[in-house]
Every structure is written in structure tokens, then in C-alpha cells.
């Protein structure tokens, strides 16, 4: 039996440690080597782990994280390793097959671990030991999370952590692979509008680069250039009708990701404010990862100190180490990059042998293996999974296979070690050097105590073959191979720009940066980042404080999106002024007052009196006007083919602009002026609202609020809260000394519904309140709820 030495201090009294289940801990963890690790939990239950021994330190990280998030880590492990069906039965088999298609068999993870540095192997092994120590103790003392039903999970392995890393980074750091959707969209447009108009509308909605799009790297202070060929669009109208089990399995895997809190889509915002704009000359950094609203959410706060580390911030269940946070004199954060770094290839199959495909003039055998899946209630189920030189087979059609090629393939361990290296960096050059080896695509914002702020667009970005249409499925026979990757020193970046600030909200990295991922990533002049850029542009020298950053975050989070709660479709901060300027107020007696209402509006959707309605009727008017406008202008063209909402906003901007950077090729207005379209659609909106509310008085037109629905991953749940377009974890760091910081992680630190820290930050989050981060072990001890000393 293991033993644990516990020193818990509450109100100055020494008592037995109360763990999340509410019972005193008492297991012996002494391995006899003399190393110790101390875990101080502060007033919000945040663990601060300290040891001078590297292995003991990571042991403590695993132990503390398991105390808080063991069930969530188990859910992630089963998703990433394709073992959900062992618990959930046949309904989860398709997702499991999808996971193993994407990430490979267990033997691949074992080989990756063997290739890692000794330090990384020590880190992962010690973390696993710490997790297993808590599993053993919790099972013996009845403290396992209720979701396990009293049955302890199998021991944690270092390979499990590698699997979760691949699944999480694939979710947030891989973009593109939309070629089949693009082909289907083009086919539908041609069928509906004819070849000429269909191709024109496709080009209007799938642009490679718009010079008017807001960029994170400004022209002053930015360097780096785009390499690779200029490409055209619309050259191939081929669409494939996919069949086969692989496609449905990937769809099932994506659904399973969403169910456990790995939400897809654009995510995260960030702000860095430099010395000349900061009130005391010390930089400020906002971290706002938007990673899905779950209970518990994906983020887990921790402090790690000793053995060359002093880092605090957020980690992910099943993974050791801080991915967004503050170390000694440095703070950093990430947003999803959105650059196309994954392609779908069409492999020509041998008619005489469908197990072969054509590549560079030769018939090559598909690399196939049999994976056996344990399925509850069924038993072992074998499945054949195959791959080409480009990657796993993810779909089939008559005579062809569809494969997925990702820029990160083969570099997952290098990327994991690079994230570990970020925690050790002590200067901007060291930090940038660690970033250079990350294969996944992110935007990174940075600040340090020396006064530097910086922006980096990181990851391996392919240079595609000349003439290869990036929107359409790629030729797998050898004519569309990647021609290398953009060199690190030519990737977008900005260091200490003259404007004094940097920001990212998943917008374009720099001018002339090409894009071939549709929807939100088809970046044009209309983008939610304009809200932040408007605020930052108005900063006066030596005026910004942490409270300024918090207020900017609040304004951005409450700026109206359309429809409310949609996150990525924020039009008012770019378009509203121009839209109301085009309205003919003489066309209807109601228009002068309504245009005045919209012109005077602060763009916010807030419910300050908590009555379940937005305070301003302008929210209601705009959110009714917008769909009326889109239907009037684009209804004919997109009666069959879908029109992405973000793309629609950018098309409206181009119609409003007398000289747009990317002029539309198709006439959407059918001879009507944009002013007439705006006026008529606003009148239609007013008629509809009058009927809906039974009143012609706009003061009575108050829209119901949108809410955040915190989806439970386990047994616990929390009430809905007012919708806010913000990070699910928010951290504001002030680079005074080694850094001062405040944060909030909603609903709370613990995933155990019986813990007092399960939802104790929900009200903080809902009211835009932050708590102090304790960035030293001494500060944590001064605010300690408990102190635990382990002898691993």
C-alpha cells in the first residue's frame, strides 16, 4: 500500500486533505528515492505543483490533473485511441474506426515514444505514473468519479498521452481538406445557373486572396513573404459521389469529437499591447482560446514550478504541460491558424486489382492492415484500413479512392516536444526557435518583460504544384505533389510593430497570404477581428491597463453576431455604418427613426437587467434586416447550392464598395442598386417585426437572448449563461516583473460534480469577472486550501 503525506491548511488550521469526493486521503506513494513533490491547491482548487526533481514534478502534474479530470481524460483517451466501443457498444464502432484511420495503430504510438528524447520519455512516463497513482488511490478509497460506476480505468500509458495530443492538435491545428464539398458546391451551382454563371459564382465565393482583409501582421513590423504558385479556381467541375464505410466513419468520429468537447470550427482570440501604449510601459497579453462550451471544459489550470520550469496557465486533460500561459518573464497564447495544410487526393485504382493505385506511372499496393475493435455486447470486430503514399483512405467512389494528406504527418512527436520547449524559453529568440519546429498551424501571440510583443503564424504550410487547383480534389497519380513547405523565416510574423499592438481572431495572417479553405476561412474585409482592431486603433499612448484589456474583451464578446450565438458571423462592426448610409430614409415614414436607432447603437447584445431579452431593439432590427437582405440579393443564385454566412457578409461588403479589391464576377443585384436592396429589405424587416411583435413601436421589439449551453461530458451540469463570443478560458497577463495575471476558467477547475470547485467560476465568467493567478508557489501557499506532499 502506498502512503501520502497530506498537509491541508484551511483558515490557519491543519486538517486532513479533503479530496473531491470529500474523504481524507491516505495512501503511501513513497518509492524510496528521496524525491518529493508538493501540490498546493489555492482557493479555487487550482493545483500548483513544485519539485526540484523533473520526474517527480511531472508525477505531481499527472496526480493533480487526475484528481480533477480523470473521467474527461479517459473520455479523450478512448476517443483518440479508437476504443469507445469497448464501453458504448456497436454505435461507437464507426467513430473508433475513424480515429484509427486518422492516427494509426497502437504500434505507431509506441514507435513515436521510442523516438522521443530522454527528457520527453521521462516526462510522459512520470505523468502516467502520477495518473495511475491517483487511479489506484481513488479506487481503494471510493473516490473514483461517479461516471466510472466504481470500476477503475485501465492504467494510463505514455502512448495514451501521445494519442490525445494527436487528436487535439489535429482538431485545432489542421485546416483544409474541403475539396469534395467544394466540388459538390461547384457542381450544384453549374446545374442551377449554367456553366458560365456557376463558375463565376463559385469564384466569387471561393477567393484565394483579398488584399482588403484585415491581417494580424501589419505592414510595419511584419516580415515574411508568400512562396508558391499563383493558382486559379473553377477549372474542374468534377464532383464525386462517395460511398464506402470510410466516409461515414470519419463523420462518426467528428460527431464523437463534438460530444466529448472537441468542437470544430474557428476558435480563439488574442491581444498583445506593447510598451508605448501600456500605462506603465509593460506589455499586456490577452489569451482567449474558444474551445467549446462543455462541463467540464477542455481547459484545466495548473502551475508547474521547479526543475528548470516556472509556468502557469492552461493544460489539456491527458496532457502534461502548459500550452497557453505565463512563464518566468514570458506570456503567450494560441489561436487556430486556418491556413490550408491538408488535401484530399483522388487515387486511381487498378481495374484488375482494386488493392492497387496508380502513382508516378506504377501500380502500387495500398498499405492495408487489419485492426481489431473490441465492441461491448458483440466481441472483437476486425476492420481493414488502408493508406496510399498520401495518407489514409477516407472515402471511395467507382474506380477511385480518396486519401487525406496532412502536413503534420510524421512530425507529431517533434511538435509535442516543441510545445514542451515553449515552457522553458527565456527570451524571444528561444521562444521563436521552439515555434519553428511545430508542424501544426496556429497563430501565436507573445509578450515579455523586456517590452517585446510578437505575432507568429506557425506550422508546415505546403507549396502546391503549379496549376494544381487548391479548391478541387487533387490528382493522386503524381501530378499534384507538394513542392516542399514555406520556410520558417518566410512565414508571417510581426515583432514590435509601430502601431504598438497585435491581435488575432482567426483572421488572415498577412497581406497576400493565400487561402483555399472555404467559409469562415475565406478571409475578406468582413471579419469579427475588426471589432478588436477598431478598439486597439483608438488606444492613446501610455493608456492601456489590464482593465482596458478586460473591457476590450467584454465589448468584443458582446458585439452582436448574426444570428446571435453564431460566433463567427459578426457583421455590424464592419458593415453597419455603410449599410445605414445607403438606406433611402424617404422611402418609408418609419425609416428615419429606425436608421437613427441603428446609427446610435453601440453594436452590443447585452442583457444588463437579466430579463432574458437584449436591452436594445437595434439587435432585433439588424438581425431581422440581415437575412432579408441576403435572401433578396442572393436568393436566386443559392436556391440550391448553400451560401456560407461569412462568405455572404463579404459579398455584401463588395457590393457596398464602389471599387472592391476583389470585384464580383456575377451580377447579384439584377440591375437593382445596393441602396435599393438595403432599403427594400429593411422595410420588409420592419413589416415582419411589426407582425411578429403585434406592435409598430420598435421599443417593444426586444429579442430573446442567446445562451451558452454548457454540454455535460459527465454526470454534472450547470445552468445556461448569457451568450458571449469569448474565450472559454481567459487570461490577462501584465508583464511587470516576471508577470502578473488574472484569469477565469468556467464553470470551474474540477470535473467532479461533488467538488466545491466544479462550478465556482461560472458566476465569475457570466459577469466578466477575473480571479488572481498565483504565479509563484509562495503566493499559492498564502492562498492555500490544501497542501499535499508526495514521495513518488
Amino acid at each position: 500500500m502506498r502512503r501520502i503525506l497530506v498537509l491541508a491548511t484551511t483558515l490557519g488550521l491543519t486538517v486532513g486533505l479533503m479530496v473531491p469526493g470529500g474523504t481524507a486521503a491516505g495512501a503511501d506513494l513513497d518509492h524510496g528515492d528521496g524525491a518529493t513533490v508538493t501540490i498546493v491547491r489555492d482557493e479555487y482548487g487550482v493545483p500548483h505543483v513544485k519539485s526540484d526533481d523533473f520526474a517527480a514534478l511531472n508525477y505531481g502534474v499527472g496526480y493533480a490533473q487526475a484528481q480533477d479530470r480523470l473521467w474527461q481524460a479517459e473520455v479523450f483517451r478512448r476517443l483518440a485511441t479508437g476504443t469507445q466501443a469497448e464501453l458504448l457498444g456497436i454505435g461507437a464502432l464507426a467513430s473508433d474506426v475513424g480515429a484509427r484511420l486518422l492516427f494509426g495503430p497502437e504500434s505507431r504510438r509506441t514507435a513515436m515514444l521510442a523516438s522521443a528524447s530522454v527528457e520527453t520519455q521521462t516526462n510522459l512516463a512520470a505523468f502516467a505514473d502520477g495518473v495511475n497513482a491517483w487511479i489506484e488511490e481513488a479506487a481503494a478509497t471510493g473516490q473514483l468519479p461517479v461516471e466510472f460506476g466504481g470500476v477503475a480505468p485501465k492504467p494510463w500509458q505514455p502512448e495514451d498521452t501521445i494519442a490525445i495530443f494527436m487528436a487535439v492538435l489535429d482538431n485545432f491545428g489542421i485546416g483544409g481538406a474541403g475539396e469534395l464539398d467544394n466540388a459538390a458546391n461547384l457542381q450544384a451551382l453549374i446545374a442551377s445557373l449554367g456553366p458560365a454563371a456557376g463558375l463565376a459564382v463559385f469564384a466569387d465565393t471561393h477567393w484565394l486572396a483579398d488584399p482588403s482583409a484585415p491581417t494580424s501582421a501589419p505592414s510595419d513590423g511584419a516580415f515574411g513573404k508568400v512562396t508558391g504558385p499563383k493558382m486559379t479556381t473553377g477549372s474542374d467541375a468534377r464532383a464525386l459521389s462517395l460511398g464506402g464505410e470510410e466516409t461515414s466513419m470519419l463523420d462518426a468520429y467528428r460527431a464523437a469529437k463534438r460530444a466529448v468537447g472537441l468542437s470544430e470550427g474557428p476558435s480563439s482570440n488574442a491581444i498583445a499591447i506593447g510598451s508605448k501604449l501600456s500605462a506603465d510601459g509593460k506589455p499586456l497579453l490577452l489569451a482567449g482560446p474558444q474551445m467549446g462550451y462543455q462541463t467540464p471544459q477542455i481547459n484545466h489550470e495548473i502551475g508547474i514550478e521547479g526543475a528548470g520550469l516556472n509556468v502557469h496557465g492552461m493544460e489539456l486533460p491527458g496532457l502534461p504541460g502548459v500550452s497557453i500561459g505565463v512563464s518566468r518573464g514570458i506570456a503567450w497564447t494560441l489561436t487556430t491558424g486556418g491556413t490550408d495544410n491538408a488535401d484530399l487526393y483522388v487515387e486511381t485504382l487498378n481495374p484488375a486489382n482494386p488493392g492497387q493505385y496508380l502513382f508516378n506511372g506504377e501500380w502500387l499496393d495500398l498499405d492495408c492492415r487489419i485492426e481489431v475493435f473490441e465492441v461491448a455486447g458483440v466481441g472483437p470486430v476486425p476492420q481493414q484500413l488502408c493508406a496510399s503514399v498520401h495518407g489514409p483512405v477516407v472515402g471511395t467512389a467507382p474506380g477511385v479512392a480518396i486519401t487525406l494528406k496532412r502536413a503534420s504527418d510524421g512530425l507529431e512527436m517533434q511538435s509535442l516536444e516543441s510545445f514542451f520547449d515553449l515552457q522553458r524559453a527565456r527570451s524571444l529568440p528561444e521562444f521563436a526557435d521552439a515555434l519553428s519546429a511545430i508542424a501544426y498551424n496556429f497563430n501565436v501571440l507573445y509578450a515579455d518583460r523586456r517590452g517585446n510583443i510578437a505575432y507568429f503564424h506557425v506550422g508546415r504550410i505546403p507549396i502546391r504544384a503549379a496549376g494544381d487547383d487548391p479548391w478541387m480534389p487533387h490528382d493522386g497519380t503524381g501530378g499534384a505533389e507538394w513542392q516542399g513547405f514555406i520556410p520558417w523565416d518566410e512565414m508571417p510574423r510581426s515583432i514590435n510593430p509601430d502601431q504598438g499592438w497585435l491581435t488575432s481572431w482567426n483572421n488572415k495572417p498577412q497581406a497576400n497570404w493565400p487561402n483555399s479553405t472555404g467559409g469562415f476561412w475565406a478571409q475578406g474585409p468582413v471579419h469579427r477581428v475588426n471589432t478588436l482592431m477598431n478598439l486597439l486603433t483608438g488606444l492613446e499612448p501610455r493608456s492601456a491597463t489590464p482593465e482596458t484589456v478586460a473591457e476590450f474583451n467584454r465589448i468584443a464578446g458582446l458585439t452582436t453576431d448574426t444570428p446571435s450565438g453564431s460566433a463567427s458571423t459578426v457583421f455590424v462592426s464592419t458593415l453597419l455604418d455603410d449599410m445605414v448610409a445607403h438606406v433611402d430614409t424617404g422611402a418609408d415614414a418609419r425609416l428615419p427613426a429606425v436608421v437613427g436607432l441603428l446609427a446610435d447603437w453601440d453594436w452590443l447584445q447585452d442583457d444588463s437587467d437579466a430579463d432574458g431579452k437584449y436591452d436594445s431593439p437595434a439587435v432585433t432590427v439588424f438581425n431581422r434586416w440581415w437575412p432579408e437582405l441576403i435572401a433578396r440579393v442572393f436568393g436566386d443564385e443559392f436556391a440550391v447550392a448553400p451560401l456560407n454566412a461569412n462568405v455572404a457578409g463579404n459579398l455584401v461588403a463588395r457590393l457596398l464598395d464602389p471599387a472592391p479589391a476583389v470585384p464580383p464576377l456575377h451580377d447579384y443585384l439584377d440591375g437593382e442598386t445596393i441602396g435599393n436592396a438595403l432599403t427594400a429589405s429593411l422595410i420588409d424587416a420592419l413589416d415582419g417585426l411589426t407582425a411578429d411583435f403585434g406592435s409598430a413601436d420598435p421599443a417593444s421589439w426586444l429579442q430573446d437572448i442567446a445562451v451558452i449551453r454548457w454540454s455535460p461530458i459527465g454526470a454534472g451540469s450547470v445552468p445556461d449563461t448569457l451568450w458571449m463570443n469569448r474565450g472559454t478560458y481567459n487570461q490577462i497577463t501584465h508583464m511587470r516583473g516576471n508577470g502578473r495575471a488574472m484569469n477565469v476558467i468556467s464553470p470551474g477547475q474540477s470535473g467532479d460534480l461533488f467538488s466545491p470547485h466544479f462550478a465556482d467560476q461560472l458566476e465569475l465568467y457570466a459577469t466578466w469577472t477575473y480571479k488572481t493567478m498565483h504565479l509563484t508557489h509562495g503566493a499559492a501557499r498564502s492562498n492555500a486550501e490544501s497542501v499535499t506532499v508526495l514521495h513518488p
Side-chain angles (χ1 to χ4, degrees):
M1 176 64 67
R2 291 173 177 170
R3 187 183 52 186
I4 180 172
L5 174 64
V6 176
L7 303 172
T9 305
T10 305
L11 299 178
L13 301 177
T14 301
V15 299
L17 171 65
M18 300 303 291
V19 293
T23 59
D28 185 353
L29 298 174
D30 191 351
H31 287 185
D33 62 3
T36 63
V37 56
T38 303
I39 302 172
V40 175
R41 288 190 178 269
D42 67 22
E43 69 270 36
Y44 284 94
V46 176
H48 302 262
V49 184
K50 183 174 183 179
S51 177
D52 293 330
D53 180 84
F54 183 70
L57 183 68
N58 286 285
Y59 179 99
V61 170
Y63 183 91
Q65 187 191 104
Q67 284 184 306
D68 291 340
R69 302 292 184 89
L70 182 60
W71 173 250
Q72 190 177 25
E74 174 69 10
V75 167
F76 282 7
R77 169 167 67 171
R78 289 190 172 274
L79 173 79
T81 59
T83 54
Q84 296 182 100
E86 290 182 5
L87 287 180
L88 304 178
I90 195 68
L93 177 60
S95 170
D96 284 352
V97 175
R100 295 196 205 177
L101 270 172
L102 290 173
F103 308 122
E106 183 177 2
S107 59
R108 180 168 183 257
R109 298 189 291 276
T110 300
M112 291 169 63
L113 179 63
S115 73
S117 68
V118 172
E119 182 177 274
T120 296
Q121 291 182 19
T122 301
N123 183 341
L124 298 181
F127 175 81
D129 286 346
V131 173
N132 291 329
W134 174 250
I135 291 174
E136 181 178 334
E137 180 184 341
T141 57
Q143 297 178 75
L144 285 171
V146 295
E147 292 88 350
F148 285 104
V151 179
K154 67 180 182 180
W156 198 267
Q157 302 294 331
E159 291 89 344
D160 297 330
T161 293
I162 295 171
I164 292 174
F165 176 81
M166 288 194 290
V168 170
L169 272 289
D170 190 83
N171 190 71
F172 294 111
I174 296 292
E179 291 89 349
L180 293 177
D181 291 337
N182 297 334
N185 183 259
L186 176 56
Q187 185 183 52
L189 288 170
I190 289 175
S192 176
L193 306 175
L199 286 167
V201 172
F202 184 85
D204 284 344
T205 54
H206 296 75
W207 60 90
L208 278 174
D210 186 331
S212 65
T215 63
S216 288
S219 57
D220 187 2
F223 53 93
K225 63 181 180 180
V226 176
T227 61
K230 299 293 183 182
M231 301 180 231
T232 58
T233 63
S235 60
D236 187 353
R238 174 174 56 175
L240 298 171
S241 298
L242 288 184
E245 295 181 350
E246 293 90 347
T247 306
S248 63
M249 289 166 181
L250 281 186
D251 291 341
Y253 171 72
R254 294 187 184 102
K257 282 198 304 181
R258 293 189 291 272
V260 303
L262 285 177
S263 59
E264 298 174 290
S267 54
S268 311
N269 62 16
I271 293 172
I273 296 176
S275 298
K276 75 177 184 179
L277 296 177
S278 172
D280 64 356
K282 305 299 181 182
L284 300 157
L285 185 75
L286 167 70
Q290 295 175 267
M291 302 176 74
Y293 298 98
Q294 289 81 34
T295 307
Q297 64 160 285
I298 191 173
N299 304 313
H300 175 260
E301 186 182 351
I302 197 164
I304 306 172
E305 187 174 339
L309 292 171
N310 190 332
V311 60
H312 296 72
M314 55 151 276
E315 62 176 0
L316 304 175
L319 295 174
V322 170
S323 55
I324 292 176
V326 54
S327 62
R328 190 179 289 109
I330 287 175
W332 76 96
T333 187
L334 312 175
T335 74
T336 298
T339 294
D340 187 353
N341 59 355
D343 286 346
L344 293 176
Y345 280 79
V346 180
E347 313 286 3
T348 301
L349 298 180
N350 187 346
N353 180 0
Q356 293 183 324
Y357 65 100
L358 185 63
F359 184 71
N360 286 340
E362 298 182 29
W363 292 111
L364 304 181
D365 292 334
L366 286 168
D367 181 11
C368 296
R369 69 184 190 275
I370 299 296
E371 288 268 353
V372 178
F373 297 83
E374 294 294 332
V375 180
V378 176
V381 176
Q383 294 279 324
Q384 178 174 268
L385 307 182
C386 298
S388 76
V389 294
H390 300 113
V393 174
V394 297
T396 59
V400 302
I402 310 301
T403 56
L404 172 64
K405 183 174 184 177
R406 294 165 294 181
S408 60
D409 285 347
L411 296 174
E412 295 92 344
M413 180 53 68
Q414 172 182 301
S415 299
L416 175 58
E417 293 187 322
S418 296
F419 272 99
F420 289 157
D421 289 342
L422 294 180
Q423 301 175 109
R424 294 189 179 277
R426 292 293 178 262
S427 67
L428 179 54
E430 287 184 13
F431 190 85
D433 186 59
L435 290 178
S436 69
I438 295 175
Y440 296 92
N441 180 225
F442 291 97
N443 302 296
V444 181
L445 267 73
Y446 166 100
D448 67 31
R449 65 182 176 185
R450 296 179 176 88
N452 296 306
I453 61 171
Y455 162 82
F456 298 92
H457 193 67
V458 308
R460 288 214 310 175
I461 306 303
I463 301 171
R464 293 176 174 85
D468 181 27
D469 189 332
W471 298 107
M472 293 294 117
H474 304 272
D475 175 16
T477 64
E481 299 307 293
W482 293 349
Q483 306 298 298
F485 300 90
I486 296 177
W488 168 245
D489 60 2
E490 295 178 1
M491 289 287 287
R493 68 192 65 189
S494 180
I495 299 172
N496 298 325
D498 288 346
Q499 67 186 22
W501 55 266
L502 293 161
T503 189
S504 171
W505 206 349
N506 314 115
N507 53 292
K508 194 181 189 71
Q510 70 176 28
N512 300 317
W513 189 253
N515 131 89
S516 54
T517 301
F520 181 85
W521 303 111
Q523 293 154 344
V526 178
H527 200 284
R528 62 185 179 182
V529 78
N530 286 329
T531 305
L532 292 173
M533 289 186 170
N534 292 339
L535 293 166
L536 290 163
T537 300
L539 276 177
E540 296 292 332
R542 289 302 179 98
S543 66
T545 65
E547 290 70 31
T548 306
V549 177
E551 178 63 6
F552 285 5
N553 192 32
R554 186 190 72 86
I555 292 171
L558 295 179
T559 295
T560 297
D561 47 359
T562 305
S564 299
S566 57
S568 62
T569 49
V570 179
F571 306 127
V572 293
S573 51
T574 307
L575 293 176
L576 182 59
D577 289 348
D578 208 5
M579 288 173 64
V580 298
H582 279 78
V583 173
D584 177 7
T585 55
D588 187 293
R590 298 170 294 179
L591 291 178
V594 169
V595 166
L597 170 70
L598 293 170
D600 293 339
W601 177 35
D602 60 7
W603 305 339
L604 301 187
Q605 48 185 12
D606 198 5
D607 180 21
S608 59
D609 57 4
D611 66 349
K613 307 282 186 181
Y614 286 127
D615 297 340
S616 174
V619 179
T620 316
V621 173
F622 184 85
N623 279 349
R624 184 61 173 264
W625 182 16
W626 183 261
E628 295 282 0
L629 174 67
I630 299 306
R632 183 180 186 91
V633 176
F634 305 113
D636 292 343
E637 289 80 9
F638 298 96
V640 177
L643 174 60
N644 175 270
N646 182 65
V647 169
N650 281 283
L651 290 180
V652 169
R654 290 168 186 153
L655 295 175
L656 284 165
D657 190 340
V662 180
L665 301 177
H666 180 76
D667 179 14
Y668 298 95
L669 292 169
D670 298 321
E672 185 179 36
T673 67
I674 186 62
N676 286 341
L678 285 160
T679 301
S681 58
L682 181 53
I683 291 171
D684 289 344
L686 300 182
D687 290 342
L689 290 170
T690 298
D692 290 348
F693 285 91
S695 170
D697 181 9
S700 67
W701 299 346
L702 298 180
Q703 178 186 312
D704 290 341
I705 61 170
V707 297
I708 297 172
R709 302 192 184 281
W710 300 90
S711 302
I713 293 174
S717 62
V718 298
D720 299 339
T721 54
L722 178 71
W723 166 253
M724 303 169 178
N725 193 359
R726 67 184 288 198
T728 47
Y729 171 82
N730 269 156
Q731 178 176 316
I732 298 173
T733 307
H734 185 193
M735 299 311 304
R736 293 182 61 186
N738 284 326
R740 301 181 183 182
M742 56 185 184
N743 69 353
V744 62
I745 179 169
S746 183
Q749 176 70 13
S750 176
D752 183 345
L753 76 163
F754 299 113
S755 167
H757 304 300
F758 176 72
D760 58 340
Q761 297 185 54
L762 183 66
E763 183 66 18
L764 297 180
Y765 189 88
T767 57
W768 294 95
T769 306
Y770 298 81
K771 65 180 183 62
T772 298
M773 292 180 69
H774 306 302
L775 300 184
T776 67
H777 212 67
R781 276 186 175 272
S782 297
N783 295 274
E785 177 183 86
S786 67
V787 180
T788 304
V789 180
L790 308 176
H791 298 269

